[in-house]
């Protein structure tokens, strides 16, 4: 059993029943010159999650933990893109349109794929999700259930959108989630703080919050 110092209290987990889930570390959100930056966001706020996430990823791989990557995006024909999502924001170039790194948030495009630093290893599942939550319209729940996974360590972007939505979905399905605060990122520093507080408040209403250092220390001692 691994014991991780966390808020609101210690997170105990068995590495073989726990998965590392890395949410949407895609070029279009994280890399300079992508969709996120084209919208006026400071991507360095997201990029700083890459190095600590890589350390957690390397440690999880060494311990043979299940590692799952997700990507937000849509089919080439956009048949899974709700009109509401397409129209939201009244953007000049939105989802499905040509963007700086290919068609924006479309599967198979360069910008849609995961950043080089966190590239999935052969055999690691990649879950393509059309929504913000990793469980909506995906087979993630069956993949976890079939492998006997009950706990998740969560990294990725953005903290208040896809990370938070996925953690809430997981919590309602009976998973314990540990979010590592230096491995998640938001374009809005105030949302980063609030989104993490929302998870760990009220006795851990949605889960636990720790950081990569404390996680790695706990895993090393297991
Ligand atoms: C957003 C995400 N922010 N992965 N996607 O649209 O958080």
């Amino acid at each position: 059993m691994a014991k991780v110092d966390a808020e609101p209290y210690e997170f105990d987990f068995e590495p073989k029943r726990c998965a590392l889930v890395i949410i949407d570390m895609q070029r279009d959100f994280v890399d300079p010159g992508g969709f996120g930056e084209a919208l006026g966001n400071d991507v360095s706020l997201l990029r700083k999650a890459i190095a600590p996430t890589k350390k957690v990823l390397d440690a999880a791989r060494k311990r043979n933990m299940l590692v799952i990557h997700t990507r937000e995006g849509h089919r080439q024909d956009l048949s899974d893109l709700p009109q509401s999502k397409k129209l939201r924001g009244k953007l000049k170039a939105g989802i499905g349109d040509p963007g700086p790194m290919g068609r924006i948030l479309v599967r198979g495009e360069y910008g849609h794929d995961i950043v080089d630093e966190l590239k999935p290893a052969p055999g690691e599942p990649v879950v393509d999700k059309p929504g913000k939550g990793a469980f909506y319209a995906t087979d993630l729940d069956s993949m976890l259930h079939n492998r006997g996974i009950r706990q998740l360590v969560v990294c990725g972007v953005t903290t208040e959108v896809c990370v938070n939505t996925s953690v809430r979905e997981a919590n309602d399905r009976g998973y314990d989630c540990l979010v590592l605060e230096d491995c998640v990122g938001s374009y809005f520093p105030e949302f980063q703080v609030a989104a993490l507080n929302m998870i760990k408040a009220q006795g851990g209403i949605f889960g636990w919050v720790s950081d990569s250092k404390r996680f790695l220390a706990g895993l090393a001692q297991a």
Side-chain angles (χ1 to χ4, degrees):
M1 190 66 92
K3 294 177 183 302
V4 179
D5 181 42
E7 292 84 43
Y9 53 88
E10 184 179 85
F11 182 80
D12 298 341
F13 72 99
E14 255 185 276
K16 66 171 190 298
R17 307 240 311 151
C18 183
L20 171 64
V21 180
I22 304 181
I23 306 279
D24 300 0
M25 290 298 278
Q26 295 162 251
R27 297 188 180 108
D28 253 336
F29 293 129
V30 175
D31 273 356
F35 177 50
E37 194 175 71
L39 292 176
N41 296 301
D42 174 4
V43 292
S44 72
L45 293 168
L46 269 52
R47 291 196 66 73
K48 65 185 183 192
I50 294 177
T53 301
K54 179 71 169 81
K55 286 190 187 155
V56 168
L57 175 59
D58 289 343
R61 282 173 176 158
K62 267 203 196 115
R63 292 299 297 255
N64 289 321
M65 283 174 62
L66 175 65
V67 175
I68 296 188
H69 307 260
T70 74
R71 298 183 295 204
E72 179 179 353
H74 297 274
R75 292 172 179 272
Q76 290 274 338
D77 65 4
L78 305 183
S79 55
D80 59 350
L81 174 62
Q83 269 296 95
S84 57
K85 189 174 178 184
K86 170 77 186 154
L87 298 176
R88 192 72 49 80
K90 299 183 176 173
L91 302 174
K92 265 198 205 114
I95 298 172
D97 297 328
M101 293 185 177
R103 290 178 70 207
I104 294 165
L105 293 190
V106 170
R107 295 176 196 164
E109 299 289 334
Y110 183 76
H112 169 263
D113 211 353
I114 292 167
V115 295
D116 294 337
E117 298 92 325
L118 302 173
K119 195 178 161 69
E124 287 174 358
V126 178
V127 172
D128 279 317
K129 60 189 191 57
K132 304 304 182 196
F135 290 82
Y136 169 69
T138 73
D139 49 10
L140 177 60
D141 195 31
S142 342
M143 289 167 49
L144 297 171
H145 179 84
N146 294 338
R147 288 167 160 97
I149 301 289
R150 299 309 312 157
Q151 294 181 301
L152 310 179
V153 174
V154 183
C155 302
V157 299
T158 62
T159 315
E160 76 279 16
V161 184
C162 292
V163 171
N164 231 272
T165 307
S166 301
V167 165
R168 288 168 188 231
E169 287 182 328
N171 184 59
D172 278 346
R173 287 165 175 78
Y175 298 95
D176 288 332
C177 293
L178 173 68
V179 179
L180 303 180
E181 64 186 14
D182 54 337
C183 299
V184 293
S186 169
Y187 299 124
F188 305 94
E190 68 276 27
F191 291 173
Q192 171 82 357
V193 173
L196 292 167
N197 283 341
M198 283 177 196
I199 290 167
K200 65 186 175 186
Q202 301 183 72
I205 197 154
F206 297 121
W208 285 254
V209 175
S210 185
D211 55 50
S212 60
K213 244 179 147 170
R214 290 186 284 166
F215 172 75
L216 293 170
L219 188 61
Q221 279 174 12

